[in-house]
Amino acid sequence: MSKTKAHELVGSKPKKKCCRKKTRCMKCPVVIHKLNRLAADGASKKDLKKSLKTVRDNPNRTRAA
C-alpha cells in the first residue's frame, strides 16, 4: 500500500475515468465513492483503513468483515 491514508481520500476528487483493473488505484471513482459512503455511515479512521484494502481488491464488497 502507498503512504496515502484512507481518511485523506474521503472527499477528494477522483480521476475522470475508472481504469477497471483488478486492483483499483487509490484515485479510482469507485474507490472514492465507496469510502465516502462508509464515512457518511460513521466509519472511524481504523475502519476506513481496513475497508480501503477490501474495496480496492473487490469493489463489490464495502465492509472488511
Side-chain angles (χ1 to χ4, degrees):
M1 297 267 306
S2 70
K3 294 180 182 187
T4 304
K5 298 189 179 359
H7 67 275
E8 292 174 355
L9 291 174
V10 174
S12 65
K13 185 176 178 182
K15 293 189 325 186
K16 190 168 188 166
K17 188 175 180 182
C18 178
C19 55
R20 291 186 271 168
K21 290 185 178 177
K22 179 70 177 161
T23 303
R24 295 184 185 265
C25 64
M26 299 287 238
K27 289 287 198 171
C28 179
V30 175
V31 172
I32 300 287
H33 182 267
K34 300 273 184 186
L35 288 178
N36 285 335
R37 279 193 357 199
L38 289 170
D41 288 342
S44 65
K45 288 181 183 181
K46 187 175 181 179
D47 293 335
L48 288 174
K49 183 179 177 182
K50 287 181 185 178
S51 298
L52 178 63
K53 184 176 187 306
T54 305
V55 169
R56 287 186 68 211
D57 290 341
N58 185 0
N60 294 329
R61 290 186 58 203
T62 56
R63 301 283 180 213

XYZ file of all heavy atoms in Angstrom:
505
model
N 0.839 -1.174 0.000
C 0.000 0.000 0.000
C 0.887 1.241 0.000
O 1.993 1.216 0.503
C -0.889 0.027 1.234
C -1.887 -1.106 1.337
S -3.503 -0.795 0.675
C -4.012 0.669 1.467
N 0.350 2.290 -0.535
C 1.117 3.518 -0.570
C 0.966 4.256 0.754
O 0.300 3.787 1.673
C 0.633 4.389 -1.725
O -0.647 4.891 -1.429
N 1.564 5.424 0.833
C 1.539 6.183 2.070
C 0.289 7.037 2.205
O 0.112 7.707 3.202
C 2.780 7.046 2.164
C 4.046 6.231 2.282
C 5.257 7.084 2.386
C 6.480 6.190 2.439
N 7.689 6.935 2.698
N -0.588 7.014 1.203
C -1.825 7.769 1.270
C -2.743 7.138 2.303
O -2.977 5.944 2.290
C -2.533 7.792 -0.098
O -1.645 8.301 -1.073
C -3.773 8.649 -0.042
N -3.265 7.942 3.192
C -4.144 7.432 4.234
C -5.585 7.414 3.740
O -6.001 8.268 2.963
C -4.006 8.289 5.479
C -2.602 8.252 6.053
C -2.549 8.921 7.386
C -1.241 8.938 8.069
N -0.106 8.375 7.560
N -6.339 6.427 4.197
C -7.705 6.237 3.727
C -8.592 7.420 4.088
O -9.413 7.850 3.276
C -8.275 4.951 4.306
N -8.431 7.967 5.286
C -9.292 9.076 5.691
C -8.998 10.348 4.894
O -9.839 11.232 4.806
C -9.195 9.334 7.201
C -7.867 9.841 7.647
N -6.817 8.995 7.935
C -7.414 11.093 7.859
C -5.781 9.721 8.305
N -6.110 10.989 8.268
N -7.812 10.436 4.299
C -7.491 11.595 3.458
C -8.159 11.493 2.087
O -8.345 12.501 1.418
C -5.982 11.725 3.292
C -5.260 12.097 4.572
C -3.758 12.090 4.421
O -3.250 11.703 3.352
O -3.075 12.458 5.395
N -8.511 10.295 1.663
C -9.169 10.111 0.372
C -10.643 10.496 0.408
O -11.233 10.780 -0.632
C -9.030 8.656 -0.087
C -7.635 8.195 -0.468
C -7.636 6.706 -0.768
C -7.129 8.972 -1.656
N -11.223 10.485 1.600
C -12.636 10.834 1.732
C -12.819 12.295 1.345
O -12.156 13.175 1.870
C -13.134 10.586 3.170
C -14.545 11.092 3.351
C -13.030 9.120 3.506
N -13.685 12.545 0.400
C -13.947 13.906 -0.051
C -12.974 14.415 -1.099
O -13.106 15.540 -1.555
N -12.002 13.600 -1.490
C -11.055 14.056 -2.509
C -11.660 13.888 -3.902
O -12.661 13.204 -4.085
C -9.747 13.280 -2.416
O -9.956 11.922 -2.731
N -11.038 14.516 -4.871
C -11.539 14.469 -6.240
C -11.022 13.214 -6.937
O -9.808 12.986 -6.985
C -11.077 15.712 -6.989
C -11.639 15.820 -8.374
C -11.236 17.107 -9.052
C -11.794 17.119 -10.455
N -11.398 18.311 -11.182
N -11.914 12.380 -7.484
C -11.468 11.161 -8.169
C -10.948 11.454 -9.572
O -11.090 12.564 -10.091
C -12.732 10.309 -8.231
C -13.845 11.288 -8.191
C -13.363 12.454 -7.381
N -10.356 10.424 -10.170
C -9.929 10.534 -11.561
C -11.160 10.701 -12.441
O -12.282 10.440 -12.014
C -9.210 9.253 -12.009
C -7.905 9.008 -11.353
C -7.136 7.862 -11.973
C -7.977 6.709 -12.481
N -7.189 5.579 -12.928
N -10.947 11.087 -13.677
C -12.071 11.306 -14.578
C -12.725 9.997 -15.001
O -13.936 9.907 -15.109
C -11.596 12.081 -15.801
C -12.711 12.567 -16.680
C -12.220 13.561 -17.686
C -13.406 14.157 -18.422
N -13.038 15.328 -19.167
N -11.909 8.985 -15.241
C -12.428 7.714 -15.730
C -11.790 6.566 -14.960
O -10.625 6.611 -14.614
C -12.102 7.574 -17.218
C -12.739 6.391 -17.888
C -12.471 6.405 -19.373
C -13.126 5.197 -20.017
N -12.857 5.143 -21.436
N -12.574 5.533 -14.731
C -12.097 4.363 -13.997
C -11.289 3.465 -14.930
O -11.675 3.218 -16.075
C -13.291 3.607 -13.438
S -12.844 2.120 -12.569
N -10.187 2.922 -14.415
C -9.339 2.056 -15.240
C -9.830 0.604 -15.236
O -9.481 -0.176 -16.093
C -7.893 2.115 -14.746
S -7.717 1.707 -13.014
N -10.627 0.216 -14.247
C -11.239 -1.109 -14.128
C -10.221 -2.243 -14.066
O -10.440 -3.314 -14.591
C -12.241 -1.363 -15.252
C -13.474 -0.513 -15.128
C -14.463 -0.896 -16.160
N -14.200 -0.117 -17.356
C -14.724 -0.352 -18.533
N -15.525 -1.351 -18.696
N -14.428 0.404 -19.559
N -9.101 -1.996 -13.438
C -8.114 -3.054 -13.241
C -8.535 -3.924 -12.067
O -9.436 -3.574 -11.307
C -6.735 -2.455 -12.974
C -6.137 -1.800 -14.195
C -4.732 -1.347 -13.902
C -4.133 -0.728 -15.155
N -2.790 -0.217 -14.897
N -7.870 -5.058 -11.910
C -8.196 -5.985 -10.833
C -8.003 -5.331 -9.466
O -8.870 -5.394 -8.612
C -7.318 -7.240 -10.958
C -7.542 -8.264 -9.897
C -8.876 -8.940 -10.030
C -8.996 -10.024 -8.971
N -10.322 -10.421 -8.725
N -6.870 -4.694 -9.260
C -6.659 -3.906 -8.050
C -6.792 -2.450 -8.449
O -5.955 -1.906 -9.156
C -5.259 -4.154 -7.455
O -5.124 -5.542 -7.201
C -5.077 -3.384 -6.179
N -7.852 -1.830 -8.003
C -8.131 -0.453 -8.404
C -7.164 0.519 -7.739
O -6.686 0.275 -6.639
C -9.558 -0.094 -8.038
C -10.567 -0.914 -8.806
C -11.954 -0.456 -8.491
N -12.941 -1.300 -9.133
C -13.503 -1.038 -10.311
N -13.163 0.033 -10.977
N -14.396 -1.845 -10.823
N -6.895 1.631 -8.435
C -5.974 2.624 -7.888
C -6.669 3.439 -6.797
O -7.879 3.348 -6.599
C -5.443 3.526 -8.990
S -6.710 4.523 -9.770
N -5.891 4.233 -6.095
C -6.417 4.998 -4.968
C -7.381 6.104 -5.400
O -8.299 6.441 -4.668
C -5.269 5.636 -4.188
C -4.317 4.635 -3.618
S -5.038 3.798 -2.248
C -3.870 4.199 -1.015
N -7.169 6.664 -6.577
C -7.986 7.778 -7.051
C -9.142 7.320 -7.941
O -9.791 8.140 -8.576
C -7.117 8.768 -7.842
C -6.164 9.543 -6.987
C -6.921 10.561 -6.184
C -5.997 11.636 -5.662
N -6.734 12.725 -5.078
N -9.398 6.043 -7.980
C -10.480 5.500 -8.795
C -11.818 6.037 -8.277
O -12.052 6.089 -7.069
C -10.457 3.979 -8.723
S -11.752 3.195 -9.655
N -12.727 6.433 -9.169
C -14.030 6.943 -8.723
C -14.816 5.936 -7.889
O -15.529 6.317 -6.965
C -14.764 7.254 -10.019
C -13.729 7.348 -11.066
C -12.578 6.521 -10.613
N -14.685 4.656 -8.195
C -15.403 3.621 -7.447
C -14.889 3.557 -6.010
O -15.675 3.500 -5.061
C -15.255 2.248 -8.147
C -15.890 1.150 -7.327
C -15.840 2.292 -9.537
N -13.584 3.590 -5.844
C -12.976 3.521 -4.511
C -13.352 4.750 -3.692
O -13.759 4.636 -2.530
C -11.445 3.373 -4.618
C -10.781 3.488 -3.264
C -11.094 2.056 -5.277
N -13.260 5.925 -4.287
C -13.596 7.166 -3.590
C -15.072 7.157 -3.180
O -15.422 7.529 -2.058
C -13.294 8.396 -4.482
C -11.814 8.460 -4.848
C -13.755 9.686 -3.810
C -10.897 8.868 -3.743
N -15.947 6.701 -4.062
C -17.375 6.661 -3.769
C -17.678 5.725 -2.606
O -18.445 6.049 -1.701
C -18.149 6.235 -5.010
C -19.621 6.215 -4.810
N -20.297 5.080 -4.434
C -20.553 7.180 -4.911
C -21.576 5.348 -4.324
N -21.765 6.627 -4.608
N -17.066 4.549 -2.602
C -17.301 3.584 -1.523
C -16.783 4.124 -0.181
O -17.446 3.980 0.841
C -16.625 2.249 -1.830
C -17.103 1.584 -3.090
C -18.293 0.737 -2.847
C -18.653 0.015 -4.135
N -19.877 -0.716 -4.031
N -15.615 4.760 -0.196
C -15.080 5.334 1.046
C -15.943 6.486 1.546
O -16.135 6.639 2.753
C -13.640 5.798 0.842
C -12.596 4.698 0.701
C -11.230 5.308 0.449
C -12.562 3.802 1.917
N -16.479 7.295 0.629
C -17.370 8.386 1.030
C -18.636 7.841 1.679
O -19.130 8.396 2.657
C -17.730 9.265 -0.168
C -16.600 10.172 -0.577
O -15.739 10.511 0.223
N -16.582 10.572 -1.831
N -19.162 6.750 1.136
C -20.358 6.132 1.715
C -20.073 5.594 3.114
O -20.886 5.741 4.022
C -20.868 4.999 0.828
C -21.687 5.484 -0.318
C -22.441 4.404 -1.029
N -22.200 3.064 -0.532
C -22.450 1.958 -1.205
N -22.933 2.021 -2.414
N -22.224 0.765 -0.694
N -18.927 4.951 3.276
C -18.564 4.425 4.590
C -18.378 5.548 5.611
O -18.778 5.428 6.760
C -17.292 3.584 4.489
C -17.448 2.245 3.776
C -16.079 1.630 3.539
C -18.308 1.315 4.588
N -17.747 6.635 5.173
C -17.523 7.767 6.072
C -18.854 8.416 6.457
O -19.029 8.854 7.598
C -16.606 8.789 5.414
N -19.794 8.462 5.531
C -21.104 9.030 5.826
C -21.864 8.160 6.834
O -22.685 8.669 7.607
C -21.916 9.178 4.548
N -21.590 6.863 6.829
C -22.226 5.962 7.787
C -21.573 6.038 9.161
O -22.047 5.392 10.092
C -22.166 4.513 7.289
C -23.105 4.263 6.133
O -24.039 5.079 5.933
O -22.927 3.249 5.429
N -20.486 6.776 9.275
C -19.847 6.978 10.568
C -18.668 6.058 10.832
O -18.367 5.760 11.979
N -17.996 5.607 9.792
C -16.838 4.728 9.972
C -15.664 5.523 10.535
O -15.450 6.681 10.181
C -16.444 4.101 8.633
N -14.907 4.891 11.415
C -13.734 5.532 12.004
C -12.545 5.432 11.042
O -12.629 4.783 10.005
C -13.388 4.863 13.329
O -12.992 3.531 13.098
N -11.440 6.084 11.415
C -10.232 6.030 10.583
C -9.731 4.598 10.450
O -9.282 4.179 9.394
C -9.131 6.904 11.173
C -9.381 8.370 11.045
C -8.226 9.158 11.636
C -8.472 10.634 11.592
N -7.358 11.403 12.150
N -9.827 3.841 11.533
C -9.383 2.448 11.517
C -10.270 1.610 10.580
O -9.769 0.779 9.826
C -9.425 1.882 12.930
C -8.839 0.518 13.068
C -8.819 0.091 14.524
C -8.212 -1.281 14.672
N -8.172 -1.704 16.068
N -11.575 1.845 10.615
C -12.491 1.132 9.731
C -12.236 1.485 8.266
O -12.289 0.631 7.390
C -13.945 1.453 10.077
C -14.351 0.911 11.427
O -13.730 -0.077 11.878
O -15.283 1.474 12.030
N -11.952 2.755 8.004
C -11.667 3.182 6.631
C -10.386 2.541 6.118
O -10.303 2.155 4.953
C -11.564 4.702 6.556
C -12.874 5.470 6.697
C -12.593 6.956 6.759
C -13.820 5.148 5.571
N -9.393 2.418 6.990
C -8.128 1.803 6.588
C -8.338 0.342 6.206
O -7.825 -0.127 5.194
C -7.116 1.908 7.728
C -5.761 1.364 7.391
C -4.804 1.533 8.550
C -3.461 0.925 8.225
N -2.525 1.035 9.341
N -9.125 -0.371 7.004
C -9.423 -1.771 6.690
C -10.235 -1.888 5.406
O -10.006 -2.770 4.585
C -10.213 -2.409 7.828
C -9.430 -2.686 9.063
C -10.338 -3.337 10.088
C -9.654 -3.537 11.410
N -10.573 -4.123 12.399
N -11.191 -1.007 5.246
C -12.088 -1.074 4.097
C -11.388 -0.699 2.798
O -11.774 -1.183 1.740
C -13.287 -0.160 4.318
O -14.004 -0.590 5.437
N -10.377 0.161 2.871
C -9.676 0.581 1.658
C -9.057 -0.608 0.942
O -9.196 -0.750 -0.275
C -8.594 1.612 1.990
C -7.751 2.094 0.813
C -8.618 2.814 -0.213
C -6.643 2.996 1.295
N -8.419 -1.487 1.679
C -7.812 -2.668 1.077
C -8.873 -3.556 0.446
O -8.719 -4.036 -0.673
C -7.029 -3.451 2.136
C -6.292 -4.642 1.587
C -5.472 -5.300 2.671
C -4.586 -6.397 2.170
N -5.214 -7.417 1.420
N -9.972 -3.754 1.134
C -11.046 -4.605 0.630
C -11.699 -4.008 -0.611
O -11.943 -4.711 -1.589
C -12.115 -4.808 1.719
O -11.486 -5.312 2.886
C -13.171 -5.786 1.262
N -11.962 -2.727 -0.583
C -12.621 -2.062 -1.706
C -11.729 -2.067 -2.937
O -12.204 -2.274 -4.053
C -13.021 -0.616 -1.321
C -13.448 0.173 -2.528
C -14.132 -0.644 -0.299
N -10.424 -1.877 -2.738
C -9.518 -1.886 -3.882
C -9.397 -3.277 -4.489
O -9.306 -3.430 -5.697
C -8.130 -1.386 -3.470
C -8.127 0.108 -3.235
C -6.736 0.609 -2.975
N -5.940 0.505 -4.179
C -4.626 0.289 -4.191
N -3.982 0.163 -3.071
N -3.983 0.224 -5.321
N -9.393 -4.312 -3.647
C -9.294 -5.678 -4.157
C -10.593 -6.137 -4.789
O -10.600 -6.756 -5.848
C -8.917 -6.644 -3.037
C -7.488 -6.459 -2.576
O -6.697 -5.863 -3.333
O -7.169 -6.895 -1.466
N -11.711 -5.875 -4.132
C -13.011 -6.321 -4.616
C -14.010 -5.194 -4.378
O -14.588 -5.094 -3.300
C -13.442 -7.589 -3.872
C -14.728 -8.158 -4.404
O -15.314 -7.620 -5.326
N -15.179 -9.239 -3.814
N -14.260 -4.341 -5.375
C -15.102 -3.161 -5.160
C -16.583 -3.479 -4.927
O -17.338 -2.613 -4.546
C -14.920 -2.355 -6.444
C -14.484 -3.329 -7.444
C -13.701 -4.394 -6.710
N -17.015 -4.719 -5.094
C -18.410 -5.058 -4.855
C -18.708 -5.163 -3.367
O -19.835 -4.994 -2.939
C -18.774 -6.385 -5.536
C -18.700 -6.266 -7.033
O -18.946 -5.205 -7.583
N -18.344 -7.340 -7.702
N -17.674 -5.440 -2.550
C -17.837 -5.514 -1.096
C -17.453 -4.190 -0.490
O -16.500 -3.556 -0.907
C -16.946 -6.608 -0.507
C -17.423 -7.988 -0.874
C -16.623 -9.019 -0.185
N -16.687 -8.829 1.262
C -15.776 -9.289 2.092
N -14.734 -9.923 1.659
N -15.896 -9.114 3.392
N -18.187 -3.755 0.525
C -17.878 -2.484 1.167
C -17.359 -2.660 2.576
O -16.716 -1.791 3.109
C -19.121 -1.560 1.216
O -20.170 -2.273 1.874
C -19.531 -1.184 -0.174
N -17.614 -3.768 3.227
C -17.168 -3.993 4.597
C -15.971 -4.948 4.599
O -15.877 -5.844 3.776
C -18.275 -4.602 5.458
C -19.501 -3.760 5.533
C -19.284 -2.598 6.474
N -20.507 -1.797 6.533
C -20.510 -0.515 6.705
N -19.393 0.142 6.830
N -21.626 0.146 6.762
N -15.079 -4.762 5.532
C -13.877 -5.587 5.609
C -14.068 -6.771 6.564
O -13.134 -7.289 7.115
C -12.695 -4.737 6.053
N -15.272 -7.168 6.778
C -15.514 -8.268 7.740
C -15.644 -9.594 7.090
O -15.797 -9.968 6.076
C -16.799 -7.972 8.518
